[in-house]
Amino acid sequence: MFDLTNQTAVVTGGNRGIGLGYARGLAKSGASVAIWSRSPERNQVAVDQLTALGADAFAAACDVTDPNSVNEALASTLEHFGAVHALFANAGTSGRMAFPDFDLEDWNDLFDVNVVGTLLPAQSVARHMIERGEGGSIAVTSSIGASHGLPVAPHYSASKAAQIGLVKALAVKLAKHNIRVNAICPGFVATELTEPEQTNEAFQTAIKQRVPLRRWGTPEDFEGLAVYLASGHSAFVTGAELVIDGGYSAF
Ligand code: NDP
């Protein structure tokens, strides 16, 4: 059942970090993978990595905040692969936001990527899945920041909580089409997004003490979860929040 041969997965934000972790796991299990991220150069590097794993890989230069760009990415993906069976809506950004003296533009820009940038790919892929009538799997990368307040980034926490609300609503809405919708909630994972925290010695020490498994997560930690969610092994899993945080939330 973990064989994903003849299955196609789209990974937004798949050219590095957690998204590339999902993509590698999917590729190793036989899936064809389409990367939707903005940078053509970085997309090509990711495609080369996935191809080296034996996968049929493809990339569309896509800005997930732009409906036309998302629709074009789906059209080119369907032209290449014919169908999409799983979507990992993973593209995201972070940043700091002061409170109460914040710049509303920072809030709106971050919500655009993290929330609108989840909604639009989910819309385009769900339409395609409904038309095909064979079900599918949509997984959204939220964060433990949705439920653990981040004082330096209220906009990030709020955007990640918004994704969970969207996941639950869509899980109920799309269940009759056998389209499952789940949230993945990573803890602290070593990627470009968290580079400032990784190079901050005080933060490093604090996080290691606070995470029962005593380490940062890595993109590799997300390979198997992607395979599980794209496969029939998760056929009864929808509307769930899957926490992958080395035990941080349990402590
Ligand atoms: P990275 O910064 O390593 O990767 C972000 C990815 O998103 C890149 O592929 C980037 O590609 C893409 N991206 C950003 N903006 C857009 C856009 N407008 N359109 C299309 N693609 C875009 O981040 P991570 O791998 O760490 O994060 C991935 C997800 O995981 C995010 O949603 C993040 O919030 C979440 N997360 C991360 C955690 C961590 O500790 N790292 C913890 C919890 C959640 P490009 O720039 O080429 O477009």
Side-chain angles (χ1 to χ4, degrees):
M1 254 171 133
F2 283 126
D3 180 8
L4 298 178
T5 307
N6 298 325
Q7 304 279 304
T8 296
V10 167
V11 185
T12 76
N15 68 13
R16 63 176 192 257
I18 293 172
L20 187 52
Y22 296 148
R24 274 197 300 259
L26 295 160
K28 286 179 194 169
S29 289
S32 300
V33 181
I35 302 288
W36 295 3
S37 296
R38 290 166 304 179
S39 160
E41 295 77 24
R42 299 190 71 143
N43 287 353
Q44 190 54 50
V45 173
V47 164
D48 290 346
Q49 266 197 38
L50 300 172
T51 307
L53 293 171
D56 191 353
F58 166 83
C62 171
D63 182 342
V64 290
T65 67
D66 175 354
N68 291 331
S69 181
V70 168
N71 289 333
E72 279 165 22
L74 180 66
S76 59
T77 301
L78 291 178
E79 202 173 308
H80 195 86
F81 290 124
V84 172
H85 305 86
L87 165 68
F88 291 82
N90 162 81
T93 191
S94 68
R96 289 186 164 238
M97 173 191 151
F99 189 89
D101 303 313
F102 57 84
D103 184 344
L104 188 56
E105 215 172 285
D106 289 344
W107 174 280
N108 288 335
D109 287 350
L110 182 134
F111 260 69
D112 217 20
V113 180
N114 290 2
V115 183
V116 176
T118 297
L119 179 68
L120 296 177
Q123 177 193 36
S124 68
V125 172
R127 266 195 190 128
H128 160 70
M129 287 173 172
I130 291 168
E131 272 167 27
R132 277 183 66 241
E134 291 177 26
S137 170
I138 297 176
V140 172
T141 313
S142 175
S143 168
I144 57 166
S147 49
H148 293 257
L150 299 176
V152 296
H155 56 347
Y156 185 78
S157 276
S159 74
K160 292 292 159 182
Q163 287 179 312
I164 303 241
L166 180 64
V167 160
K168 295 199 178 204
L170 295 188
V172 177
K173 177 86 187 161
L174 297 175
K176 66 171 180 254
H177 301 287
N178 198 25
I179 299 169
R180 299 175 295 101
V181 189
N182 292 291
I184 297 169
C185 298
F188 292 91
V189 184
T191 65
E192 275 189 38
L193 194 84
T194 53
E195 252 167 30
E197 289 78 17
Q198 291 171 62
T199 48
N200 177 331
E201 213 169 297
F203 191 88
Q204 276 275 15
T205 310
I207 283 305
K208 285 214 180 113
Q209 283 169 357
R210 180 66 178 71
V211 176
L213 286 178
R214 295 282 184 266
R215 67 170 174 89
W216 285 70
T218 65
E220 288 70 31
D221 289 320
F222 293 82
E223 292 187 9
L225 183 64
V227 176
Y228 171 70
L229 286 175
S231 78
H233 275 307
S234 58
F236 200 50
V237 180
T238 198
E241 290 171 55
L242 301 152
V243 175
I244 314 292
D245 68 351
Y248 181 95
S249 303
F251 188 24

